[in-house]
Amino acid sequence: MAQKLYITTSPHVHCGDTIERNMRTVIWALVPAFIASVFYFGLGAVIVTATSVASCLFFEWFITRVFLKRPSTLADGSAIITGILLAFNMPSNIPLYMIVMGALVAIGIGKMVFGGLGNNPFNPALVGRVFLLISFPAKMTSWPVPHQMTAYTDAVTGATPLNLIGQIAGGNSAAVDQLPGLKDLFLGNIGGCIGEVSAVALLIGLIILLWRKVITWHIPVTILATVAVLTGIMWMINPVLYVNPLYHLCAGGLMLGAIFMATDYVTSPMTTTGMVWYGIGIGFLTVIIRYFGSYPEGMSFAILIMNAVTPLINNWCKPKRFGEAVK
Amino acid sequence: MNTFKIGGVHPEPNKLTADRKIETLALPKQAVFPLSQHIGAPAVPCVQKGDTVRVGTRIAEPGGFMSASIHSSVSGKVAKIDSVIDASGLRKPAIFIDVEGDEWEPSIDRSDKLILQSNKSRDEIIECIKNAGIVGMGGACFPTHVKLCPPKECTIDTLIINAVECEPYLTADHRLMLEHPDEIIIGIKIILKVLGIDRAVIGVEANKPDAISLLQSKTSMVSGIEVMPLQMKYPQGGEKQLIEAVTGRQVPPPPALPANVGCVVQNVGTVFAIYEAVMKNKPLFERIVTVTGKGLKNPCNLKVRMGTPVSQLIEYAGGMPEDTGKLISGGPMMGRPLLDDTAPVVKGTSGLLMIPEADAIRREERNCIRCAKCVQACPMGLEPYLLATASEASDWECAEENWIMSCIECGCCQSTCPSRRPLLDWVRLAKNRVGGIIRARNAKK
Amino acid sequence: MSFILTAVLVLGLTGLVLGLVLYAVSRKFKVETDPRVGQITELLPGANCGGCGFPGCAAFAEACVKSDSMEGLKCSVCKSEVMQQIAAITGHAVEVGVEKVAVVRCAGSCDNRPGLRVYDGAKSCAAAALMNGGATGCFFGCLGCGDCVKACKFDAIKMDPETGLPVVDQDKCTACGACAKACPRNVIELRNKNKLDRRVYVSCVNKDKGPVAKKACAVACIGCGKCVKICPFEAITLENNLAYIDFEKCRLCRKCVDECPQHTILAVNFPPKKVVAPAEPKAEETPQAPVEPAPMPENTVEQQKAE
């Protein structure tokens, strides 16, 4: 026997799955939403996304190599996803320096201070976004109207469906007429953050993620179902003040959050029962913030709050052990 | 089609040798018999250096209730009683026999004739099985006579024959079913008689349609024996998973046994060995070994005398490929790595697998990204990520609270981990430590 | 002006009321603690290593105060002066123990003990020891995954990347025994520190028969028994093909060191031997004398550089 044998305990084979493969699939799943955003917001979407991804990659590289003196973790692709998701959560007319600041907070404070990928308690992209939302509320909550292909910071802004839904709930029944049709909402022909507008593109992403078995259905479906049920109940109670639940499903960042942000591996619960509770929590908090909070959109806050609860959920929701029922 | 409910994975089947007939390997020059080839106390040698033995001569007696005797598979002289490195990777005492000729014990019936009936009583059959040194041939090597005497307070209603062979690559049981179906059915009848019940289910995974149809045609006239095709999923061959797949019952966590839910599970190889022991008076000294691997010239199913060094099997199969990185005794999911090719074939050697170096090396371990794939894959409903972390931190209490002793070490968690964490290594360590703590606690009481 | 006055008054009154409440509560619920517990805890190292058998330093201090004598109470980390200070506080007499140090009894470096295989599993000696003999032919010696390094709370044990063996820093080692407990193969032993940190010990734990052990490792103890015969103090015993020097009986004469054909017995921290042999107990000149010129080298384990 010439060759040296390797010795390890079983198993000796692996299914071939890697972090990179999962991250790559998520990036592919985000592509339809990106195409839709370029179609609706043109140049602005491209500039913001490119800047965000580039600065996230830079900060990740800089912090790992210069501060931590560790091998670079750029290759795992998580920084790219953080960059894309951060960009998708911003309006397409946001100035460059804000994007860079958001990326620094997302990667630096959201992820690296906790020890990098796998240790962060909160979704990094959302940490960056919420930082920007609180620091620059005016810039972060004025969204350009679609179809200004060459405009960037000079784009004309307008009300988004969620603004209008809020106004209707506040008693301004005239706003009903301004509400776009469901078809426009579904396709994404509305004002809003770059990545969140097109429900259909995000649903294609969901199908890709489920098909490649990157995520399970539990989190996105429970979030969407909870929002639909809660807003449906309110709609049935008073259809004048509260809009059709379909508007809630397609408007704002609900789809983007439910499909891509709440399902983030690191910050979501580990068991299926935990995932269901987590999804219900996010859906519930989103509706509460949308109707009763001061911000028109509650998705980011809802996800961050549930991220904080995730360790508790992991402690409470244990999987059903084999043979547990039989005592 | 039935299967178990929680978790499970689908590794590549890679059954390269499914249509290779069983061939008989030539006798070795020297045969080595480790004294602990089974779970429980090691056997005690009953021969001395210089003694002449024949094929089938008992060379070691059971060293306790939970033990099994060992028989020589060759004729010749006992060269020495020394130690050998076996599949556990540890140096264990063993009997070395130099082979001279091939002289069998006269009591063994060497003809191919099928013997349908025996007038042995239940106790005689159990004695016969015990004397033949039969242990579970699936790999766990649990002494069979112990398993056939379930605790009095349990009522057994079903005998399950494990013909699942869910481990990738291995085809020894598959070939056995195709080539010796009649013997297996007689063996099942013997076990039914011992247990005093009349229902047996043969669980076969759906990737062996030829074996299923053959056994179905053979059992169509026999009442009480049913062939149940099962959906393909690893680890269906695990005792607890198979019981759930066949009967829908879940065995409670340890120390409960399958008998607590009224089932006894026997591997199809064990059934064949029982037939030979009871009907042909032939002790367990031969077994079928699948020699396989992607780079191997001539992967095959071999009928091997125990004690043969694995190097001889590899040579028969075309020599060890240049790029071999791992030599495994058993299948790729639960097999044990061999330190070199001098280890002997023992009762539990169901296969020999050579994995190319490129596949053998584990990829660099990364942070847990909490993807929960291990939790979804675990067939026992455990949280491998948590157990491994607890083990790394030596937090045995946390591991025990989270049911670590239920782990069946199937390897599903580690084989799905995208971060390539050695989850099972850590879980096994914690299981060992927690097991020790529990034993110490019970001893105190 | 009046609003400033109001603010000052309100805040001042609130502070006063809260202060009174706090005072009352602290008087009412005062817990009597023995001040000596705090004094002793301050003397202790505070590493909570558990070497004393108590959950931590504070628990040990409490035990010291509660106990009637200092019998069985010993902080293995503290120097004897500290133990005497503790005894002074509690008012009990204390026995002066012998200072000890952790010793790695394996010299199976990569050169001495060639790797026959590659261990590729979890980086833990305990896990590696569970599954098989490890990467070399030696089934008893150091596995090199560094469980002892992880166990050490005092940063006193490090892996030498060249030899793949742990090295104890004798100045930092407190002999708490955590490494010895962590080692799944019992390679590490606590031995007497002796005068000037001089030690003689068998640097091997291989219980295999001579030829097997020798094949696995160039400096393995082969159980020849020469050291047992030459020892004038009957300090060396041979059991399971392995020699062991009883450090209570050993008088550091170093006769065994020269006698050992495998150079398994190491003598550390002795001054370099002179070419002309002086009178007893200094033994005659040997070819494999330690090369280090300093009388107090940094490391406790010296690599044999005979070949």
Side-chain angles (χ1 to χ4, degrees), chain B residues 66-347:
Chain B
M66 182 79 96
S67 187
S69 44
I70 294 166
H71 299 78
S72 173
S73 67
V74 291
S75 61
K77 268 207 178 79
V78 178
K80 57 180 173 177
I81 298 177
D82 200 358
S83 62
V84 71
I85 302 170
D86 68 357
S88 70
L90 300 172
R91 199 174 279 282
K92 297 261 180 76
I95 300 170
F96 291 69
I97 295 176
D98 286 332
V99 180
E100 290 163 14
D102 191 23
E103 198 184 327
W104 289 48
E105 285 283 346
S107 57
I108 301 171
D109 175 3
R110 293 184 68 181
S111 70
D112 284 339
K113 208 178 126 234
L114 206 62
I115 298 170
L116 296 169
Q117 285 296 331
S118 125
N119 45 15
K120 286 186 175 126
S121 71
R122 175 184 178 273
D123 292 341
E124 278 169 341
I125 294 173
I126 289 181
E127 198 54 33
C128 199
I129 291 170
K130 191 179 171 189
N131 286 340
I134 296 176
V135 299
M137 304 281 272
C141 300
F142 193 91
T144 301
H145 62 273
V146 181
K147 213 172 180 179
L148 288 179
C149 304
K152 290 264 168 348
E153 65 272 18
C154 305
T155 345
I156 305 296
D157 56 20
T158 313
L159 168 69
I160 299 172
I161 304 302
N162 187 347
V164 172
E165 206 161 49
C166 59
E167 274 271 9
Y169 289 98
L170 301 189
T171 56
D173 290 352
H174 184 189
R175 287 314 303 179
L176 190 70
M177 283 188 280
L178 289 180
E179 294 179 31
H180 298 282
D182 297 308
E183 286 90 335
I184 290 169
I185 289 162
I186 299 167
I188 294 172
K189 284 184 193 159
I190 296 170
I191 303 173
L192 286 176
K193 187 176 173 189
V194 170
L195 294 170
I197 55 171
D198 52 11
R199 181 171 181 242
V201 182
I202 309 175
V204 194
E205 270 193 355
N207 61 349
K208 295 180 260 295
D210 45 354
I212 294 172
S213 58
L214 180 65
L215 286 173
Q216 262 167 349
S217 68
K218 295 272 181 193
T219 53
S220 57
M221 303 307 287
V222 188
S223 70
I225 304 180
E226 182 196 339
V227 181
M228 188 184 279
L230 301 168
Q231 204 180 309
M232 271 179 71
K233 193 157 83 171
Y234 179 87
Q236 192 135 250
E239 202 169 46
K240 292 177 178 176
Q241 275 66 33
L242 184 60
I243 291 172
E244 197 198 1
V246 170
T247 65
R249 305 171 195 163
Q250 289 195 343
V251 183
L257 297 169
N260 292 47
V261 293
C263 296
V264 167
V265 183
Q266 290 292 349
N267 180 269
V268 66
T270 320
V271 176
F272 182 69
I274 289 174
Y275 163 81
E276 288 203 311
V278 176
M279 299 301 192
K280 302 263 185 182
N281 208 13
K282 181 181 160 193
L284 178 63
F285 57 74
E286 270 182 330
R287 73 157 298 149
I288 297 162
V289 180
T290 305
V291 187
T292 182
K294 277 181 181 159
L296 211 58
K297 273 200 205 92
N298 174 30
C300 48
N301 297 297
L302 294 175
K303 191 177 187 181
V304 184
R305 302 278 179 94
M306 277 166 207
T308 310
V310 299
S311 54
Q312 199 178 328
L313 280 73
I314 297 169
E315 214 169 285
Y316 187 89
M320 197 188 285
E322 280 288 302
D323 61 346
T324 302
K326 247 185 199 175
L327 175 60
I328 296 158
S329 159
M333 295 300 281
M334 289 190 77
R336 311 201 67 151
L338 293 176
L339 299 194
D340 52 35
D341 59 2
T342 57
V345 170
V346 291
K347 289 175 182 173

Side-chain angles (χ1 to χ4, degrees), chain A residues 55-206:
Chain A
S55 35
C56 279
L57 283 171
F58 170 77
F59 287 125
E60 170 122 352
W61 174 85
F62 187 80
I63 292 169
T64 41
R65 296 297 297 143
V66 178
F67 285 160
L68 302 174
K69 308 257 190 295
R70 285 190 204 154
S72 165
T73 49
L74 283 190
D76 66 24
S78 62
I80 301 177
I81 293 178
T82 305
I84 297 175
L85 287 178
L86 180 65
F88 275 19
N89 272 299
M90 293 193 270
S92 64
N93 63 347
I94 189 157
L96 284 180
Y97 73 93
M98 287 188 194
I99 305 173
V100 176
M101 281 174 73
L104 176 61
V105 171
I107 295 290
I109 297 174
K111 186 163 90 173
M112 296 317 288
V113 289
F114 296 103
L117 181 67
N119 297 329
N120 47 309
F122 298 106
N123 187 322
L126 281 181
V127 172
R129 181 219 149 113
V130 166
F131 167 78
L132 291 179
L133 184 61
I134 296 169
S135 312
F136 310 104
K139 224 38 199 147
M140 284 294 285
T141 51
S142 62
W143 291 279
V145 291
H147 300 302
Q148 308 177 61
M149 298 312 283
T150 52
Y152 176 42
T153 46
D154 52 343
V156 180
T157 60
T160 65
L162 275 182
N163 291 133
L164 298 169
I165 289 170
Q167 285 172 25
I168 296 166
N172 176 12
S173 50
V176 179
D177 304 331
Q178 294 174 35
L179 214 55
L182 267 178
K183 190 184 141 209
D184 281 339
L185 259 176
F186 190 63
L187 292 176
N189 192 14
I190 46 171
C193 289
I194 293 173
E196 70 184 25
V197 287
S198 175
V200 62
L202 292 165
L203 284 173
I204 293 172
L206 175 65

